[in-house]
Amino acid sequence: MTKATQQTLAGRPVPGRFLHRFANPGQFLRLSHWLLPLLCLLSFCFLAVGLLWGLLFSPADWQQGDSVRIMYLHVPMAILASTGYAALAICGVLSLVWKHPLADLAAVEIGPVGAVVTALCLITGALWGKPMWGAWWVWDARLTSVLVLFFLYLGHIALIQAFDDPQRGYRAAAVLAIAGIIDLPIIKFSVSWWNTLHQPDSITLTHAPTMPASMLIPLSLCMIGFAAGFAALVTGRLKAAVLESRAQQLMTRRSWGMGDTA
Amino acid sequence: MIHLSFTHWPYIAASYGCTIMAVSALALQLTLRLRRARVRLALLEKNDHGMRPTS
């Protein structure tokens, strides 16, 4: 696509056309060829350093003791669970509004990874809650809203597979993803809006972190590592989906007897 | 004497174990799926080229 075709008569870029530039499966395969190994390498390096630092060298908390080391897993999982769902909703908008060819495939592949990440957030939270609160689970606003997020992920996966026509499944799942985004501010502000057992955020955009650098640095490394890992998993799954789709097209073409006319 | 019930290490070990197992399972599944998709596409493309008439 030339530069001129990306612009309106007024000279402004058209978002839909700009996005379609990156919607070409061939272009995505070329991009993933170098992006996937890079993301895997980044994830491995950051996680190796961050997790070992957090597990062995970072100090124990004065109040929580060693159980604070679960934070290096729980916090990245919690952030990725919400970010993954936001990505799912963006894919829903791209699919419904601009009919982006890769958006539906991306949503299909983000869903299971997001569900696993949310499940890990809930499991590590329970394992942190038991020694601190004396209970594996409490019907606290933060915990309940994250459980709702997990069910939204499961609903999204189920909806995609619930229709014989995949396009109808994609549309229904996109609507659910967009509607479910209401849960994200509830998760974020639940500790402020309600009296919860869950502690408030230690890292915010508006205030300085309430933890020392000896904990903040390994936590940041783990966050980058897990984010790169999440991106690598989604990119790899999307790449596999594109390859499977090409194979399916070839099979269909052959079954219709068009193989020798191509 | 070690009092495991008074430490938090079992909870920490379980957290790290669960996370590493889940991430490894996802990575392994992805590797196998990618390999299967590549092999299947290569086979189909090879057969497809073989079916085309030679000029």
Side-chain angles (χ1 to χ4, degrees), chain A residues 66 69 109 244 253-254, chain B residues 12 16 29 33 47-48:
Chain A
D66 280 320
R69 297 183 201 285
E109 302 307 333
E244 285 162 0
R253 211 170 63 178
R254 187 181 294 176
Chain B
I12 298 166
Y16 279 73
Q29 188 222 4
R33 189 179 160 192
N47 290 345
D48 199 46

Side-chain angles (χ1 to χ4, degrees), chain A residues 4-23:
Chain A
T5 58
Q6 294 169 27
Q7 298 188 342
T8 61
L9 289 173
R12 288 184 194 153
V14 182
R17 285 184 185 170
F18 171 76
L19 289 165
H20 271 82
R21 211 179 131 196
F22 297 100

Side-chain angles (χ1 to χ4, degrees), chain A residues 51 55 73 120 226, chain B residues 13-26:
Chain A
L51 288 177
L55 196 59
L73 303 171
L120 282 174
F226 278 117
Chain B
S15 299
Y16 279 73
C18 278
T19 306
I20 289 167
M21 272 202 320
V23 172
S24 304
L26 279 175

Side-chain angles (χ1 to χ4, degrees), chain A residues 27-41:
Chain A
Q27 200 159 349
F28 170 77
L29 284 180
R30 278 193 295 279
L31 180 77
S32 67
H33 186 70
W34 59 267
L35 187 64
L36 187 57
L38 179 72
L39 286 170
C40 290
L41 185 71

